[in-house]
Amino acid sequence: MPSIDVCYSPELLHLYDLKGKAVVAVDILRATSTMVTAFAHGATDIFPVMKLEECQAYAAKGCLIAAERDGVKAEGFDLGNSPFAYMNGNVQGRTIAITTTNGTRAIHLSMEADEIIVGSFLNLQAVANHLQELQLDVLIVCAGWKGKFNLEDTLYAGALVERLQQAFSFENDATLASLYLYQTAKQDLVTFLRQSSHVRRLENLEIHKDIEFCLQHDKFGVLPVWQQDRLVDIGVREVKG
Amino acid sequence: MPSIDVCYSPELLHLYDLKGKAVVAVDILRATSTMVTAFAHGATDIFPVMKLEECQAYAAKGCLIAAERDGVKAEGFDLGNSPFAYMNGNVQGRTIAITTTNGTRAIHLSMEADEIIVGSFLNLQAVANHLQELQLDVLIVCAGWKGKFNLEDTLYAGALVERLQQAFSFENDATLASLYLYQTAKQDLVTFLRQSSHVRRLENLEIHKDIEFCLQHDKFGVLPVWQQDRLVDIGVREVKG
C-alpha cells in the first residue's frame, strides 16, 4: 500500500525524499485554485515562474502574463491571482506565465519528484483518482504563507487524505493533524477559515468572493501535471480516453 | 495585548524574529518533560548540550550525564530520557548535562529570545502564570521529530494557548490549528496520541508508562528558564517570594 505524507511548508521540503514520489502542490488561496480554473476555462499550458521579470519576458512569446505579490495583481501584468479573472473567455487556447508569492515556489522546489500535480479543492476528486491510479507514494506540499504553516492548504491536505485513506497508509503526524483539522472544519469551511490569518489578510483586500470560490469541492475535472518545462492539463484526455 | 505564536519545527525558526520575545521550548516526548521532572526532584542546574561528546565531558566536572538518541539511552551515560529515571533521589542537589535528539536543539536555536522557558504538560500552569506576568510576545517552539511536525508538541502548544487566550492575541494559523487540535484531543490525550507516529515509535520501545506520565497536566510547579549558560528552576523561588 503506498503512503501519503504532508509537508507544511517549502522550508521543510529538504527533510523529504521526493524521488519516486508523486507531489501534490497546493496553494489554495489562490495560486493552484487559479491555475486549475484557468485550465478549466481552456488555457493550454501554464509556466509557473519564480520572478516578476522572468514572468514579464513571456509576454514577448505571446503568453498571457499573470503576477501576484502580497495578495494583489502586480503592476504591468495581464492578470492577477483571482480565479474570476480567468473565466471570461480570455484564456481559451492561451499559454499563461504566472508568478505568485508562495505557490510557484512549492512547484519549483518539487522538481525531483516523479510526478508533480497541481491540487485544489476545485479538482479534488480528479487528483484523488489520478493518485489511486499512479500507486506512487504521495507527498502533499503546502505552499504556506511566506514559509509558515497555513490553515487552508492544510485543510486541503486533510480533504485529499480523507478521499485516499482506504487506499494509502499514513503514519506521520502531519497527515493525521491535517485529517483531524479537515474533519473539524468541513461542515463549514468558509466560517472555519474566516478566523485564519491569511483569510483575514485577503478579506482586507475585499476578495471574499474568491475565497468562497476556492473552497468549492470537485467543481472541475482538470488535472494539471508538470511535463518537461510547464504545466499541462491531462484531466480532459483521461475522461475522454 | 501581547501575542502568542507557534513554530512547528526548529527548521522554521529562521522565519521568526525572537528578539524581545519569550520562547517556550517544548519536546513533550520526552526531553522537556524529563527536565521538568528532574528539577521537581531536586536537580539544581541543567546543561542542555547538542553533542554526545560534549555531554560526556561534563562527567569530569561532577555532573550527571544524560543522553538519548532515537528514543533510547545512549551507551556510557548515567541517565536516558525517561522521566522515571530521575525520580529515585538520584538527581537531588545535582547538576545534569543532557543531550537529546530534538529538544536540546530547540533550546539552542532560541538563544536570541529575551527569555527561554522549558515547557511541558507537567508544568503547564506554572509556565502560563509566568508568561502572564512577563507580558512579552510569546513564541512556542516545538522540537518536532527530526525537523518534522509532531502532534504531541503541537497539542502542548494548544493547551498553553487555551490557558492564555484571554490575555494574549493570536492571529496566526499555527496557533489556531494547535488550539483546535488540543480541543479535539484533550478529553483523552493518551488515546488520541496513540495514533501518532512518534508515540507508536516510542511504544515499540515499551515506554507507554513514560507517555502517560508526560501527558499529565500541572503535576509540578517548577519553571526552568535559561540563565547565562544553563537552565535553572525559578518556580520555587516565585512561590516562596
Side-chain angles (χ1 to χ4, degrees):
Chain A
M1 191 180 271
S3 68
I4 188 161
D5 201 348
V6 181
C7 174
Y8 281 147
S9 160
E11 300 284 327
L12 298 175
L13 209 43
H14 63 282
L15 301 170
Y16 297 83
D17 182 9
L18 303 186
K19 287 190 192 106
K21 292 211 173 91
V23 158
V24 181
V26 53
D27 182 5
I28 293 300
L29 299 175
R30 294 160 286 166
T32 59
S33 302
T34 294
M35 289 174 188
V36 165
T37 303
F39 280 119
H41 285 82
T44 55
D45 320 73
I46 295 179
F47 291 99
V49 295
M50 297 287 275
K51 293 185 177 166
L52 287 172
E53 314 80 68
E54 193 190 345
C55 192
Q56 227 147 9
Y58 278 89
K61 301 173 190 170
C63 300
L64 286 170
I65 54 170
E68 168 268 347
R69 284 297 180 270
D70 290 320
V72 296
K73 178 164 101 90
E75 191 71 29
F77 285 79
D78 301 317
L79 299 156
N81 201 17
S82 167
F84 288 100
Y86 296 74
M87 292 181 194
N88 58 5
N90 54 333
V91 303
Q92 177 67 43
R94 299 294 299 272
T95 297
I96 303 167
I98 185 168
T99 180
T100 66
T101 309
N102 308 291
T104 48
R105 188 158 169 251
I107 294 170
H108 277 276
L109 290 175
S110 300
M111 288 299 153
E112 284 205 346
D114 272 25
E115 175 116 343
I116 303 171
I117 303 158
V118 169
S120 71
F121 286 109
L122 301 169
N123 68 336
L124 179 59
Q125 193 56 45
V127 172
N129 292 344
H130 185 60
L131 292 171
Q132 298 232 34
E133 286 165 18
L134 277 181
Q135 289 288 307
L136 295 174
D137 289 340
V138 173
L139 181 67
I140 305 169
V141 177
C142 299
W145 179 258
K146 299 187 176 178
K148 295 183 182 175
F149 173 93
N150 82 23
L151 265 174
E152 64 273 16
D153 296 344
T154 305
L155 291 170
Y156 168 77
L160 187 56
V161 171
E162 190 180 74
R163 300 263 173 119
L164 294 173
Q165 61 185 323
Q166 305 305 325
F168 287 75
S169 69
F170 48 104
E171 305 199 335
N172 56 81
D173 286 5
T175 306
L176 280 169
S178 303
L179 182 60
Y180 293 137
L181 287 167
Y182 179 68
Q183 287 172 339
T184 303
K186 69 180 177 182
Q187 294 306 326
D188 188 353
L189 277 184
V190 174
T191 303
F192 187 87
L193 275 174
R194 196 157 286 154
Q195 300 165 78
S196 101
S197 53
H198 190 193
V199 167
R200 280 184 296 179
R201 195 180 300 123
L202 290 174
E203 283 190 331
N204 289 341
L205 302 171
E206 295 181 345
I207 50 178
H208 190 70
K209 209 173 75 167
D210 282 19
I211 297 167
E212 288 197 357
F213 181 84
C214 293
L215 298 179
Q216 294 173 98
H217 291 40
D218 302 319
K219 189 173 173 65
F220 303 127
V222 302
L223 187 64
V225 300
W226 187 262
Q227 284 187 356
Q228 293 185 340
D229 59 349
R230 66 188 72 188
L231 294 166
V232 297
D233 173 24
I234 62 167
V236 178
R237 267 184 278 167
E238 280 188 345
V239 173
K240 282 182 186 162
Chain B
M1 191 183 269
S3 68
I4 187 162
D5 201 347
V6 181
C7 174
Y8 280 147
S9 160
E11 299 284 327
L12 298 175
L13 210 43
H14 63 281
L15 300 171
Y16 296 83
D17 182 10
L18 303 186
K19 288 191 192 104
K21 293 210 173 92
V23 158
V24 181
V26 53
D27 182 5
I28 293 299
L29 298 174
R30 295 160 286 167
T32 58
S33 302
T34 294
M35 289 174 188
V36 165
T37 303
F39 279 119
H41 285 81
T44 54
D45 320 73
I46 295 180
F47 290 98
V49 295
M50 297 287 275
K51 294 185 177 166
L52 287 171
E53 314 81 68
E54 193 190 344
C55 192
Q56 228 145 8
Y58 278 89
K61 301 176 189 167
C63 300
L64 286 170
I65 56 171
E68 169 266 350
R69 285 296 180 269
D70 290 320
V72 297
K73 179 165 101 96
E75 191 71 30
F77 285 79
D78 301 316
L79 299 156
N81 200 16
S82 167
F84 288 99
Y86 297 72
M87 293 180 194
N88 56 5
N90 54 334
V91 303
Q92 177 68 44
R94 300 292 300 270
T95 296
I96 302 168
I98 185 168
T99 180
T100 68
T101 309
N102 308 292
T104 47
R105 189 158 168 253
I107 295 170
H108 277 276
L109 290 175
S110 300
M111 287 298 152
E112 284 206 347
D114 271 26
E115 176 115 343
I116 302 172
I117 303 158
V118 169
S120 72
F121 287 109
L122 302 168
N123 68 336
L124 180 59
Q125 193 57 45
V127 171
N129 291 344
H130 186 60
L131 292 172
Q132 298 232 31
E133 285 165 19
L134 276 181
Q135 289 290 305
L136 294 174
D137 289 339
V138 173
L139 182 66
I140 304 169
V141 177
C142 299
W145 179 259
K146 297 187 177 179
K148 293 181 182 174
F149 172 93
N150 82 21
L151 265 175
E152 65 273 16
D153 296 344
T154 304
L155 291 170
Y156 169 77
L160 187 55
V161 171
E162 190 180 71
R163 301 261 174 121
L164 294 174
Q165 59 185 321
Q166 305 306 327
F168 287 75
S169 68
F170 48 104
E171 304 200 333
N172 57 81
D173 284 6
T175 306
L176 280 169
S178 303
L179 182 59
Y180 293 138
L181 288 166
Y182 179 68
Q183 288 173 338
T184 303
K186 68 179 177 181
Q187 294 305 325
D188 188 353
L189 277 183
V190 175
T191 303
F192 187 89
L193 275 174
R194 197 159 283 153
Q195 300 167 78
S196 102
S197 53
H198 189 194
V199 167
R200 280 185 296 181
R201 195 179 300 123
L202 289 175
E203 283 189 332
N204 290 341
L205 302 171
E206 295 180 346
I207 50 176
H208 190 70
K209 210 173 72 165
D210 281 20
I211 297 167
E212 289 196 357
F213 181 84
C214 294
L215 297 180
Q216 295 173 98
H217 292 39
D218 303 319
K219 191 173 173 63
F220 302 127
V222 302
L223 186 64
V225 300
W226 187 263
Q227 284 186 356
Q228 292 185 341
D229 61 348
R230 67 189 70 188
L231 294 166
V232 297
D233 172 24
I234 62 166
V236 178
R237 267 185 277 166
E238 278 188 344
V239 172
K240 282 184 183 160

